Amino acid sequence: MKRTKLFLLSVCTALPATVQVYAKDISLKITEKYLNLPVSHQVSRSIMTFEVDGRKERSFEIRLAAGTADYWVFCDVSAFKGKELKISYGGDSDGLKNIYQADRIAGHENLYREANRPQLHFTPKRGWHNDPNGLIYDEGEYHLFYQHNPYERDWGNMHWGHAVSEDLIHWEELPVALYPDEHGAVFSGSAVIDYGNTAGFNRGGTPAMVAAYTADNPDRQIQCIAYSLDRGRSWTKYDGNPVIDSREKWNSKDTRDPKVFRYEPNNEWVMVLNERDGHSIYTSSNLKDWKYESHTTGFWECPELFELPVDGNSDNKKWVMYGASGTYMIGAFDGKKFTPEFGKYYYTTGAIYAAQTFTNIPDADGRRIQIGWGRISHPEMPFKSLMLLPTELTLRTVKDGIRLFSNPVKEVDKLQTILFHERSIQVKEANALLRRYSDANRLRVQFTIKLSHATDAGLSLYGQQLMRYDMNSNTVNGVFYSPDDMTSMEISADIIIDKTSVEVFIDGGAYSYSMERKTPDNDREGFLFWGNNIEIKDLKVYSMNSIWKHNDHEKQ
């Protein structure tokens, strides 16, 4: 691998001992694609700045390792090839000598094979990521943008990361899409395709992909837009930003996370924006000029608003509004105001937060597909958290009304290979069959438990309760859950296990939850069904292939 070391130009300047700040610059001619930077959590963050042709191109905080690195991160500098790049750093200058440019990122030889890298869930190569942003389908690609700190595995330096997929399962990470600018860090938002050229960004007949996002700075949060004419690969920020600045209206900095969609009956764009204590509705004819319409209290962050058929009946549709925590309301929407009719309910709990649904899904598909942020750590890895599996959301009529259901998208099934299927067995036999897979890195387990004398039953893995149903208290893993048939003696579960996470879907998606997979307690048994005189019905166990295609040889 070709490596080019940097050349130190200036000398160190020391301030009084209470504030040790260094002002060393380095400069090099960019000849390779990446700069590799060492990170150490033993040092404090300091500002690093990139300058090209006398213009500041990037500025970010980083814990640059002066000695041994905990891990390495990278910058894609291919846009600067052939130019002189000046790097200024406000911290210990000793770390500058360890930066190098190359055509591969540091650690590429082990990429996606790391010890605690999830194998069923998207994670970035390096750094922190959280909220999914700008989920959109366009020209055969699903786009996943996301909150991203490329320079550390902890939160900060908010950019929009970017990945694409043809099947919602196998993802290709692309270069960073949106960088912080004079308006602030790039917080959460959404994306649409402006087929009608309402914003005037289209060129040569190419419809613009338009992103709406929050810019965050110490004083306020404002809403901005940017556009792409090359399928999200490069972006131009609107020179009229911000398009909404509503701090004075709400007397609050909390005004963020715009979700934009087209409302055809009114021939308008609609933005749902979280402001202070709930979700506001704004409308626009051109994505630039927005009018406040209404407000629904009771939600926090990352708004969603979409229409779904009830029980698959296109003549009977309802609107769903939800926030980052997973609670939702069902009601009506006229393009200006959401009117709740049912709710507030929850359909999912656990590690999930800030879930968003895809826009622009073709009518022939018709699904409402969601991805949520999984607040799950990966010990000793150069990245943190994951994206939970894509799920399909549906509205179904149950005994108490209409409820939101969530299930893994059908594409997940393509990863699985059946290991065994037993239609009805007792606990002892089920445990014997399942326990041989206790150390599997990737597994899917589906079953129905039929209770008899037991009022408390479930499945654990090395002592961690994957699913525990307490029929007396009406709880699943400690959260209230009442089956549609309140006297039912059966409960079903679909459990998907990855290296560091567990996702569980109860009774066909009526309730779901996610959690971190705990380190095995070797003093406890592996897989273990428990419950007094219970029957395990329709037990199916699948191995799951890695979404990183070259990793299928790993232990299942």
Side-chain angles (χ1 to χ4, degrees):
M1 178 176 65
K2 185 178 179 182
R3 297 163 57 124
T4 306
K5 286 281 187 177
L6 308 190
F7 180 64
L8 270 60
L9 292 181
S10 62
V11 296
C12 167
T13 301
L15 294 181
T18 54
V19 186
Q20 284 293 331
V21 179
Y22 298 81
K24 213 165 219 180
D25 300 334
I26 56 176
S27 184
L28 74 161
K29 185 175 182 179
I30 297 298
T31 59
E32 305 297 329
K33 184 174 184 179
Y34 299 109
L35 280 187
N36 289 297
L37 302 96
V39 173
S40 170
H41 286 259
Q42 309 307 309
V43 301
S44 300
R45 290 173 171 173
S46 293
I47 299 292
M48 179 173 286
T49 301
F50 290 175
E51 187 177 302
V52 177
D53 296 333
R55 176 181 173 179
K56 185 170 74 172
E57 293 287 347
R58 298 177 194 172
S59 181
F60 52 90
E61 290 184 315
I62 187 170
R63 303 177 190 271
L64 191 66
T68 302
D70 293 333
Y71 53 90
W72 289 75
V73 296
F74 65 92
C75 300
D76 186 333
V77 290
S78 54
F80 309 139
K81 272 194 175 182
K83 297 184 177 182
E84 289 291 322
L85 174 66
K86 178 182 176 182
I87 303 176
S88 301
Y89 183 57
D92 186 342
S93 63
D94 284 349
L96 294 173
K97 66 180 182 294
N98 295 323
I99 299 174
Y100 69 93
Q101 60 172 316
D103 59 356
R104 308 289 288 272
I105 70 170
H108 68 89
E109 64 280 356
N110 199 37
L111 188 60
Y112 303 125
R113 296 187 178 95
E114 301 97 329
N116 288 312
R117 170 79 68 174
Q119 294 298 302
L120 304 178
H121 298 80
F122 173 79
T123 49
K125 297 171 184 174
R126 298 288 184 267
W128 165 275
H129 77 310
N130 55 295
D131 305 2
N133 297 153
L135 300 188
I136 190 167
Y137 179 84
D138 181 45
E139 297 185 20
E141 288 183 325
Y142 296 92
H143 291 262
L144 167 63
F145 301 94
Y146 49 90
Q147 291 288 276
H148 185 38
N149 181 1
Y151 308 110
E152 190 182 320
R153 64 187 176 206
D154 291 335
W155 187 94
N157 297 309
M158 284 297 97
H159 298 57
W160 269 26
H162 188 195
V164 293
S165 173
E166 295 181 355
D167 62 2
L168 287 166
I169 301 300
H170 301 91
W171 295 94
E172 177 190 359
E173 185 176 343
L174 298 180
V176 166
L178 295 177
Y179 290 84
D181 59 18
E182 69 276 11
H183 294 300
V186 184
F187 275 22
S188 292
S190 55
V192 295
I193 306 296
D194 187 12
Y195 293 108
N197 196 25
T198 63
F201 296 143
N202 298 7
R203 297 289 186 274
T206 301
M209 181 183 291
V210 181
Y213 63 93
T214 297
D216 175 82
N217 60 65
D219 179 59
R220 65 206 317 115
Q221 291 178 337
I222 52 180
Q223 316 317 313
C224 299
I225 60 174
Y227 65 93
S228 172
L229 299 175
D230 58 0
R231 299 165 62 226
R233 269 61 177 180
S234 63
W235 291 85
T236 302
K237 292 178 180 176
Y238 174 47
D239 58 14
N241 283 332
V243 296
I244 296 177
D245 183 352
S246 57
R247 175 170 178 170
E248 280 69 29
K249 174 180 177 59
W250 292 101
N251 190 29
S252 172
K253 184 183 176 181
D254 294 321
T255 170
R256 56 181 172 268
D257 311 334
K259 178 61 190 282
V260 177
F261 62 91
R262 186 74 178 169
Y263 188 73
E264 293 297 349
N266 291 355
N267 195 31
E268 285 184 319
W269 297 103
V270 171
M271 177 190 292
V272 194
L273 185 65
N274 185 258
E275 298 188 297
R276 193 172 65 183
D277 60 2
H279 294 344
S280 295
I281 303 295
Y282 289 79
T283 59
S284 174
S285 62
N286 60 8
L287 293 167
K288 300 174 180 177
D289 304 300
W290 292 91
K291 178 185 177 184
Y292 172 82
E293 301 287 358
S294 62
H295 187 74
T296 302
T297 60
F299 292 104
W300 177 248
E301 295 189 323
C302 303
E304 266 286 6
L305 181 61
F306 52 84
E307 190 178 33
L308 283 176
V310 179
D311 301 319
N313 182 1
S314 60
D315 295 325
N316 180 22
K317 294 183 177 181
K318 295 291 182 182
W319 286 80
V320 177
M321 176 178 278
Y322 70 63
S325 65
T327 58
Y328 69 97
M329 298 178 186
I330 298 173
F333 180 62
D334 63 2
K336 310 287 185 182
K337 181 180 180 181
F338 173 75
T339 303
E341 297 173 352
F342 307 96
K344 181 188 288 184
Y345 309 116
Y346 63 83
Y347 66 103
T348 187
T349 64
I352 191 171
Y353 194 76
Q356 187 177 118
T357 66
F358 281 86
T359 60
N360 211 45
I361 296 291
D363 291 340
D365 185 322
R367 292 179 294 172
R368 177 60 57 169
I369 299 170
Q370 172 188 271
I371 292 179
W373 168 39
R375 296 169 291 181
I376 290 170
S377 298
H378 315 288
E380 300 178 0
M381 293 293 99
F383 58 89
K384 189 175 289 186
S385 77
L386 52 76
M387 290 299 171
L388 294 169
L389 290 172
T391 59
E392 180 181 0
L393 303 181
T394 55
L395 288 178
R396 303 183 195 178
T397 303
V398 298
K399 188 173 294 184
D400 293 330
I402 301 172
R403 298 292 187 269
L404 188 64
F405 281 60
S406 174
N407 278 296
V409 294
K410 60 187 178 183
E411 287 85 349
V412 173
D413 296 353
K414 298 177 182 178
L415 297 175
Q416 65 193 33
T417 301
I418 189 72
L419 295 174
F420 67 85
H421 179 193
E422 294 290 339
R423 301 191 182 279
S424 178
I425 55 177
Q426 298 304 305
V427 167
K428 184 177 181 180
E429 184 182 358
N431 286 339
L433 286 170
L434 192 53
R435 196 164 292 143
R436 71 185 71 171
Y437 303 106
S438 297
D439 296 321
N441 287 327
R442 313 183 298 272
L443 208 66
R444 187 173 192 174
V445 182
Q446 299 172 329
F447 59 87
T448 297
I449 292 180
K450 183 176 182 180
L451 294 84
S452 178
H453 302 295
T455 58
D456 187 18
L459 175 67
S460 64
L461 176 59
Y462 286 113
Q464 180 179 11
Q465 292 181 352
L466 305 183
M467 194 281 283
R468 179 179 183 177
Y469 178 46
D470 185 332
M471 194 169 64
N472 281 347
S473 301
N474 282 114
T475 60
V476 172
N477 276 37
V479 176
F480 181 81
Y481 174 74
S482 179
D484 194 30
D485 180 355
M486 292 171 283
T487 63
S488 172
M489 299 292 287
E490 294 187 353
I491 187 169
S492 67
D494 181 1
I495 303 176
I496 299 177
I497 301 170
D498 201 350
K499 279 192 173 184
T500 58
S501 65
V502 181
E503 293 186 67
V504 184
F505 301 84
I506 299 296
D507 286 342
Y511 168 55
S512 62
Y513 55 96
S514 48
M515 57 187 169
E516 188 162 345
R517 181 179 179 179
K518 293 182 179 179
T519 302
D521 181 351
N522 293 325
D523 293 331
R524 308 292 291 271
E525 296 181 85
F527 278 113
L528 179 68
F529 282 105
W530 80 88
N532 185 19
N533 196 31
I534 64 172
E535 178 186 357
I536 311 301
K537 300 173 60 178
D538 208 26
L539 173 61
K540 299 177 183 177
V541 178
Y542 302 90
S543 63
M544 305 290 286
N545 288 330
S546 171
I547 67 170
W548 314 116
K549 294 180 180 180
H550 55 279
N551 283 2
D552 286 340
H553 67 280
E554 282 196 348
K555 180 173 61 177
Q556 296 292 306

